[in-house]
Amino acid sequence: MRAPAVLLAVPFLLFAAACGDDDESSSSSDPADCTAAVDGEVTIVADDLDWEVDCLTAPAGEPLTVIVDNQDEGVNHNIHFTDAPEKPKTELEAGPVVQELEVDLEAGEYRFVCDIHPNMVGTLTMTDATSDANG
């Protein structure tokens, strides 16, 4: 009697899993879901052992202050741009705490991660300001 119940549950579970995967992939690749820099600053929030967003955008070739708002009480977080020149990063520090990191990067995409929570990853996209001005 147990086999028919399992067989009925499998299609539902597959459908539910497929829906979840579609939502995750579309949200992480949609620039509208990214946090954009304003007046040379962009804030990313660490909460519940995750970044609230996994993508940031800013104009290239201008100084940028990345503000890390660690809201996880007693939990160490940092932000580390692992493929940017000089690999800029903040120190690991227990929350709640706010840290600032100054960067000045060329146009391109730069991966970031929390060094002790490898699931906390994302991308900073530096856009070419000159192409925006001419377009």
Side-chain angles (χ1 to χ4, degrees):
M1 292 303 271
R2 189 173 256 193
V6 170
L7 292 176
L8 290 174
V10 169
F12 174 76
L13 292 173
L14 290 174
F15 175 75
C19 289
D21 288 344
D22 287 345
D23 290 343
E24 282 182 31
S25 63
S26 65
S27 66
S28 64
S29 62
D30 185 357
D33 292 336
C34 294
T35 298
V38 176
D39 295 330
E41 294 184 347
V42 65
T43 299
I44 187 164
V45 176
D47 189 26
D48 200 23
L49 297 175
D50 204 2
W51 298 120
E52 283 191 348
V53 298
D54 63 0
C55 58
L56 307 171
T57 62
E62 298 177 14
L64 174 67
T65 302
V66 179
I67 300 169
V68 180
D69 183 358
N70 176 359
Q71 297 181 1
D72 281 332
E73 187 159 342
V75 178
N76 285 316
H77 290 302
N78 75 331
I79 194 164
H80 184 181
F81 293 93
T82 58
D83 58 359
E86 300 180 27
K87 302 181 188 292
K89 67 179 180 176
T90 60
E91 296 299 318
L92 286 165
E93 194 170 349
V97 67
V98 175
Q99 297 176 298
E100 293 185 3
L101 178 65
E102 302 286 330
V103 296
D104 192 350
L105 300 169
E106 299 293 322
E109 291 187 354
Y110 300 92
R111 179 181 183 274
F112 60 83
V113 64
C114 172
D115 286 330
I116 61 172
H117 300 108
N119 62 300
M120 294 177 65
V121 296
T123 304
L124 168 63
T125 302
M126 302 299 290
T127 58
D128 187 358
T130 57
S131 66
D132 292 342
N134 295 332

PDB file of all heavy atoms in Angstrom, residues 74-87:
ATOM      1  N   GLY A  74      26.598  38.164  16.827  1.00  0.00           N
ATOM      2  CA  GLY A  74      27.619  37.223  17.252  1.00  0.00           C
ATOM      3  C   GLY A  74      28.228  36.386  16.144  1.00  0.00           C
ATOM      4  O   GLY A  74      29.042  35.514  16.403  1.00  0.00           O
ATOM      5  N   VAL A  75      27.863  36.656  14.885  1.00  0.00           N
ATOM      6  CA  VAL A  75      28.364  35.868  13.753  1.00  0.00           C
ATOM      7  C   VAL A  75      29.355  36.702  12.956  1.00  0.00           C
ATOM      8  O   VAL A  75      29.073  37.851  12.599  1.00  0.00           O
ATOM      9  CB  VAL A  75      27.205  35.405  12.837  1.00  0.00           C
ATOM     10  CG1 VAL A  75      27.744  34.625  11.642  1.00  0.00           C
ATOM     11  CG2 VAL A  75      26.204  34.569  13.621  1.00  0.00           C
ATOM     12  N   ASN A  76      30.521  36.125  12.679  1.00  0.00           N
ATOM     13  CA  ASN A  76      31.542  36.793  11.873  1.00  0.00           C
ATOM     14  C   ASN A  76      31.164  36.766  10.398  1.00  0.00           C
ATOM     15  O   ASN A  76      30.760  35.720   9.880  1.00  0.00           O
ATOM     16  CB  ASN A  76      32.896  36.097  12.042  1.00  0.00           C
ATOM     17  CG  ASN A  76      33.544  36.398  13.357  1.00  0.00           C
ATOM     18  OD1 ASN A  76      33.564  37.547  13.802  1.00  0.00           O
ATOM     19  ND2 ASN A  76      34.077  35.382  13.998  1.00  0.00           N
ATOM     20  N   HIS A  77      31.315  37.915   9.751  1.00  0.00           N
ATOM     21  CA  HIS A  77      31.170  38.029   8.299  1.00  0.00           C
ATOM     22  C   HIS A  77      32.210  39.015   7.794  1.00  0.00           C
ATOM     23  O   HIS A  77      32.722  39.852   8.539  1.00  0.00           O
ATOM     24  CB  HIS A  77      29.784  38.549   7.888  1.00  0.00           C
ATOM     25  CG  HIS A  77      28.662  37.612   8.117  1.00  0.00           C
ATOM     26  ND1 HIS A  77      28.598  36.342   7.574  1.00  0.00           N
ATOM     27  CD2 HIS A  77      27.517  37.759   8.831  1.00  0.00           C
ATOM     28  CE1 HIS A  77      27.462  35.757   7.935  1.00  0.00           C
ATOM     29  NE2 HIS A  77      26.799  36.600   8.704  1.00  0.00           N
ATOM     30  N   ASN A  78      32.495  38.924   6.511  1.00  0.00           N
ATOM     31  CA  ASN A  78      33.271  39.935   5.810  1.00  0.00           C
ATOM     32  C   ASN A  78      32.871  39.874   4.343  1.00  0.00           C
ATOM     33  O   ASN A  78      32.074  39.026   3.934  1.00  0.00           O
ATOM     34  CB  ASN A  78      34.781  39.723   5.978  1.00  0.00           C
ATOM     35  CG  ASN A  78      35.330  38.579   5.140  1.00  0.00           C
ATOM     36  OD1 ASN A  78      34.643  37.612   4.833  1.00  0.00           O
ATOM     37  ND2 ASN A  78      36.602  38.673   4.785  1.00  0.00           N
ATOM     38  N   ILE A  79      33.392  40.798   3.562  1.00  0.00           N
ATOM     39  CA  ILE A  79      33.216  40.738   2.110  1.00  0.00           C
ATOM     40  C   ILE A  79      34.615  40.739   1.506  1.00  0.00           C
ATOM     41  O   ILE A  79      35.489  41.494   1.953  1.00  0.00           O
ATOM     42  CB  ILE A  79      32.336  41.878   1.568  1.00  0.00           C
ATOM     43  CG1 ILE A  79      31.907  41.593   0.137  1.00  0.00           C
ATOM     44  CG2 ILE A  79      33.019  43.226   1.704  1.00  0.00           C
ATOM     45  CD1 ILE A  79      30.742  42.442  -0.347  1.00  0.00           C
ATOM     46  N   HIS A  80      34.806  39.866   0.524  1.00  0.00           N
ATOM     47  CA  HIS A  80      36.123  39.685  -0.086  1.00  0.00           C
ATOM     48  C   HIS A  80      35.921  39.583  -1.597  1.00  0.00           C
ATOM     49  O   HIS A  80      35.238  38.675  -2.064  1.00  0.00           O
ATOM     50  CB  HIS A  80      36.741  38.408   0.476  1.00  0.00           C
ATOM     51  CG  HIS A  80      38.136  38.156   0.013  1.00  0.00           C
ATOM     52  ND1 HIS A  80      38.830  37.054   0.394  1.00  0.00           N
ATOM     53  CD2 HIS A  80      38.988  38.858  -0.794  1.00  0.00           C
ATOM     54  CE1 HIS A  80      40.028  37.066  -0.142  1.00  0.00           C
ATOM     55  NE2 HIS A  80      40.145  38.152  -0.875  1.00  0.00           N
ATOM     56  N   PHE A  81      36.491  40.509  -2.335  1.00  0.00           N
ATOM     57  CA  PHE A  81      36.428  40.499  -3.791  1.00  0.00           C
ATOM     58  C   PHE A  81      37.606  39.664  -4.291  1.00  0.00           C
ATOM     59  O   PHE A  81      38.715  40.177  -4.479  1.00  0.00           O
ATOM     60  CB  PHE A  81      36.432  41.924  -4.343  1.00  0.00           C
ATOM     61  CG  PHE A  81      35.185  42.666  -3.988  1.00  0.00           C
ATOM     62  CD1 PHE A  81      35.124  43.448  -2.859  1.00  0.00           C
ATOM     63  CD2 PHE A  81      34.047  42.528  -4.764  1.00  0.00           C
ATOM     64  CE1 PHE A  81      33.952  44.114  -2.504  1.00  0.00           C
ATOM     65  CE2 PHE A  81      32.874  43.178  -4.423  1.00  0.00           C
ATOM     66  CZ  PHE A  81      32.823  43.980  -3.292  1.00  0.00           C
ATOM     67  N   THR A  82      37.349  38.389  -4.505  1.00  0.00           N
ATOM     68  CA  THR A  82      38.420  37.412  -4.725  1.00  0.00           C
ATOM     69  C   THR A  82      39.109  37.523  -6.071  1.00  0.00           C
ATOM     70  O   THR A  82      40.243  37.058  -6.205  1.00  0.00           O
ATOM     71  CB  THR A  82      37.875  35.986  -4.552  1.00  0.00           C
ATOM     72  OG1 THR A  82      36.783  35.782  -5.476  1.00  0.00           O
ATOM     73  CG2 THR A  82      37.396  35.753  -3.129  1.00  0.00           C
ATOM     74  N   ASP A  83      38.471  38.107  -7.064  1.00  0.00           N
ATOM     75  CA  ASP A  83      39.111  38.190  -8.374  1.00  0.00           C
ATOM     76  C   ASP A  83      39.383  39.628  -8.811  1.00  0.00           C
ATOM     77  O   ASP A  83      39.722  39.881  -9.951  1.00  0.00           O
ATOM     78  CB  ASP A  83      38.322  37.417  -9.434  1.00  0.00           C
ATOM     79  CG  ASP A  83      36.891  37.897  -9.570  1.00  0.00           C
ATOM     80  OD1 ASP A  83      36.475  38.820  -8.839  1.00  0.00           O
ATOM     81  OD2 ASP A  83      36.165  37.333 -10.412  1.00  0.00           O
ATOM     82  N   ALA A  84      39.253  40.570  -7.890  1.00  0.00           N
ATOM     83  CA  ALA A  84      39.582  41.966  -8.183  1.00  0.00           C
ATOM     84  C   ALA A  84      41.081  42.190  -7.928  1.00  0.00           C
ATOM     85  O   ALA A  84      41.682  41.485  -7.117  1.00  0.00           O
ATOM     86  CB  ALA A  84      38.765  42.896  -7.288  1.00  0.00           C
ATOM     87  N   PRO A  85      41.671  43.165  -8.604  1.00  0.00           N
ATOM     88  CA  PRO A  85      43.076  43.472  -8.325  1.00  0.00           C
ATOM     89  C   PRO A  85      43.270  43.768  -6.837  1.00  0.00           C
ATOM     90  O   PRO A  85      42.450  44.438  -6.215  1.00  0.00           O
ATOM     91  CB  PRO A  85      43.342  44.721  -9.174  1.00  0.00           C
ATOM     92  CG  PRO A  85      42.323  44.656 -10.267  1.00  0.00           C
ATOM     93  CD  PRO A  85      41.106  44.025  -9.648  1.00  0.00           C
ATOM     94  N   GLU A  86      44.314  43.234  -6.284  1.00  0.00           N
ATOM     95  CA  GLU A  86      44.667  43.379  -4.876  1.00  0.00           C
ATOM     96  C   GLU A  86      43.685  42.694  -3.920  1.00  0.00           C
ATOM     97  O   GLU A  86      43.829  42.791  -2.709  1.00  0.00           O
ATOM     98  CB  GLU A  86      44.872  44.845  -4.502  1.00  0.00           C
ATOM     99  CG  GLU A  86      45.979  45.503  -5.317  1.00  0.00           C
ATOM    100  CD  GLU A  86      46.198  46.952  -4.973  1.00  0.00           C
ATOM    101  OE1 GLU A  86      45.905  47.357  -3.831  1.00  0.00           O
ATOM    102  OE2 GLU A  86      46.648  47.697  -5.863  1.00  0.00           O
ATOM    103  N   LYS A  87      42.658  42.047  -4.449  1.00  0.00           N
ATOM    104  CA  LYS A  87      41.693  41.255  -3.659  1.00  0.00           C
ATOM    105  C   LYS A  87      41.199  41.986  -2.405  1.00  0.00           C
ATOM    106  O   LYS A  87      41.371  41.513  -1.276  1.00  0.00           O
ATOM    107  CB  LYS A  87      42.290  39.903  -3.299  1.00  0.00           C
ATOM    108  CG  LYS A  87      42.710  39.102  -4.518  1.00  0.00           C
ATOM    109  CD  LYS A  87      43.278  37.769  -4.135  1.00  0.00           C
ATOM    110  CE  LYS A  87      43.876  37.037  -5.298  1.00  0.00           C
ATOM    111  NZ  LYS A  87      43.010  36.577  -6.302  1.00  0.00           N
TER     112      LYS A  87
END
